[in-house]
mmCIF file of all heavy atoms in Angstrom:
data_model
loop_
_atom_site.group_PDB
_atom_site.id
_atom_site.type_symbol
_atom_site.label_atom_id
_atom_site.label_comp_id
_atom_site.label_asym_id
_atom_site.label_seq_id
_atom_site.Cartn_x
_atom_site.Cartn_y
_atom_site.Cartn_z
ATOM 1 N N ASP A 399 96.723 133.958 94.163
ATOM 2 C CA ASP A 399 96.330 134.298 92.794
ATOM 3 C C ASP A 399 97.334 135.277 92.206
ATOM 4 O O ASP A 399 97.134 136.476 92.313
ATOM 5 C CB ASP A 399 94.922 134.927 92.890
ATOM 6 C CG ASP A 399 94.451 135.539 91.597
ATOM 7 O OD1 ASP A 399 94.634 134.917 90.557
ATOM 8 O OD2 ASP A 399 93.886 136.643 91.649
ATOM 9 N N VAL A 400 98.403 134.762 91.654
ATOM 10 C CA VAL A 400 99.360 135.668 91.012
ATOM 11 C C VAL A 400 99.381 135.357 89.510
ATOM 12 O O VAL A 400 98.990 134.272 89.094
ATOM 13 C CB VAL A 400 100.788 135.518 91.593
ATOM 14 C CG1 VAL A 400 100.899 136.176 92.945
ATOM 15 C CG2 VAL A 400 101.215 134.052 91.672
ATOM 16 N N ALA A 401 99.826 136.321 88.721
ATOM 17 C CA ALA A 401 99.915 136.083 87.278
ATOM 18 C C ALA A 401 101.198 136.696 86.750
ATOM 19 O O ALA A 401 101.653 137.729 87.249
ATOM 20 C CB ALA A 401 98.709 136.680 86.565
ATOM 21 N N VAL A 402 101.774 136.030 85.757
ATOM 22 C CA VAL A 402 102.980 136.547 85.099
ATOM 23 C C VAL A 402 102.772 136.375 83.595
ATOM 24 O O VAL A 402 101.873 135.634 83.170
ATOM 25 C CB VAL A 402 104.253 135.769 85.527
ATOM 26 C CG1 VAL A 402 104.630 136.063 86.964
ATOM 27 C CG2 VAL A 402 104.109 134.267 85.307
ATOM 28 N N PRO A 403 103.600 137.055 82.777
ATOM 29 C CA PRO A 403 103.503 136.769 81.347
ATOM 30 C C PRO A 403 103.638 135.255 81.137
ATOM 31 O O PRO A 403 104.483 134.609 81.777
ATOM 32 C CB PRO A 403 104.698 137.529 80.762
ATOM 33 C CG PRO A 403 104.958 138.633 81.757
ATOM 34 C CD PRO A 403 104.602 138.075 83.088
ATOM 35 N N ARG A 404 102.777 134.717 80.301
ATOM 36 C CA ARG A 404 102.623 133.261 80.197
ATOM 37 C C ARG A 404 103.948 132.516 79.987
ATOM 38 O O ARG A 404 104.171 131.443 80.537
ATOM 39 C CB ARG A 404 101.610 133.055 79.098
ATOM 40 C CG ARG A 404 101.655 131.889 78.328
ATOM 41 C CD ARG A 404 100.784 131.887 77.096
ATOM 42 N NE ARG A 404 99.543 132.610 77.075
ATOM 43 C CZ ARG A 404 99.244 133.495 76.108
ATOM 44 N NH1 ARG A 404 100.088 133.781 75.151
ATOM 45 N NH2 ARG A 404 98.073 134.081 76.127
ATOM 46 N N ALA A 405 104.908 133.127 79.248
ATOM 47 C CA ALA A 405 106.172 132.440 78.974
ATOM 48 C C ALA A 405 107.001 132.248 80.240
ATOM 49 O O ALA A 405 107.937 131.442 80.258
ATOM 50 C CB ALA A 405 106.968 133.228 77.938
ATOM 51 N N ASP A 406 106.675 132.973 81.316
ATOM 52 C CA ASP A 406 107.456 132.874 82.559
ATOM 53 C C ASP A 406 106.838 131.931 83.594
ATOM 54 O O ASP A 406 107.284 131.891 84.744
ATOM 55 C CB ASP A 406 107.601 134.266 83.193
ATOM 56 C CG ASP A 406 108.515 135.146 82.366
ATOM 57 O OD1 ASP A 406 109.481 134.596 81.797
ATOM 58 O OD2 ASP A 406 108.260 136.356 82.270
ATOM 59 N N LEU A 407 105.807 131.195 83.183
ATOM 60 C CA LEU A 407 105.085 130.352 84.147
ATOM 61 C C LEU A 407 106.003 129.351 84.851
ATOM 62 O O LEU A 407 105.963 129.200 86.080
ATOM 63 C CB LEU A 407 103.958 129.610 83.427
ATOM 64 C CG LEU A 407 102.965 128.925 84.333
ATOM 65 C CD1 LEU A 407 102.138 129.950 85.083
ATOM 66 C CD2 LEU A 407 102.040 128.013 83.544
ATOM 67 N N SER A 408 106.855 128.703 84.065
ATOM 68 C CA SER A 408 107.723 127.678 84.639
ATOM 69 C C SER A 408 108.693 128.312 85.650
ATOM 70 O O SER A 408 108.941 127.760 86.730
ATOM 71 C CB SER A 408 108.481 127.009 83.492
ATOM 72 O OG SER A 408 109.480 126.219 83.966
ATOM 73 N N ARG A 409 109.211 129.509 85.304
ATOM 74 C CA ARG A 409 110.125 130.220 86.202
ATOM 75 C C ARG A 409 109.391 130.586 87.502
ATOM 76 O O ARG A 409 109.940 130.464 88.588
ATOM 77 C CB ARG A 409 110.595 131.499 85.493
ATOM 78 C CG ARG A 409 111.988 131.940 85.878
ATOM 79 C CD ARG A 409 112.615 132.747 84.748
ATOM 80 N NE ARG A 409 111.943 133.987 84.437
ATOM 81 C CZ ARG A 409 112.111 135.142 85.087
ATOM 82 N NH1 ARG A 409 112.915 135.194 86.117
ATOM 83 N NH2 ARG A 409 111.471 136.228 84.720
ATOM 84 N N LEU A 410 108.119 130.977 87.366
ATOM 85 C CA LEU A 410 107.349 131.336 88.563
ATOM 86 C C LEU A 410 107.144 130.116 89.462
ATOM 87 O O LEU A 410 107.315 130.184 90.681
ATOM 88 C CB LEU A 410 105.990 131.941 88.164
ATOM 89 C CG LEU A 410 105.062 132.289 89.329
ATOM 90 C CD1 LEU A 410 105.626 133.427 90.184
ATOM 91 C CD2 LEU A 410 103.659 132.685 88.846
ATOM 92 N N VAL A 411 106.804 128.975 88.838
ATOM 93 C CA VAL A 411 106.580 127.757 89.644
ATOM 94 C C VAL A 411 107.872 127.397 90.386
ATOM 95 O O VAL A 411 107.852 127.067 91.583
ATOM 96 C CB VAL A 411 106.094 126.588 88.754
ATOM 97 C CG1 VAL A 411 106.025 125.297 89.554
ATOM 98 C CG2 VAL A 411 104.732 126.897 88.155
#
Side-chain angles (χ1 to χ4, degrees):
D399 171 44
V400 284
V402 290
R404 151 191 328 127
D406 290 325
L407 192 69
S408 169
R409 211 154 64 82
L410 177 66
V411 173

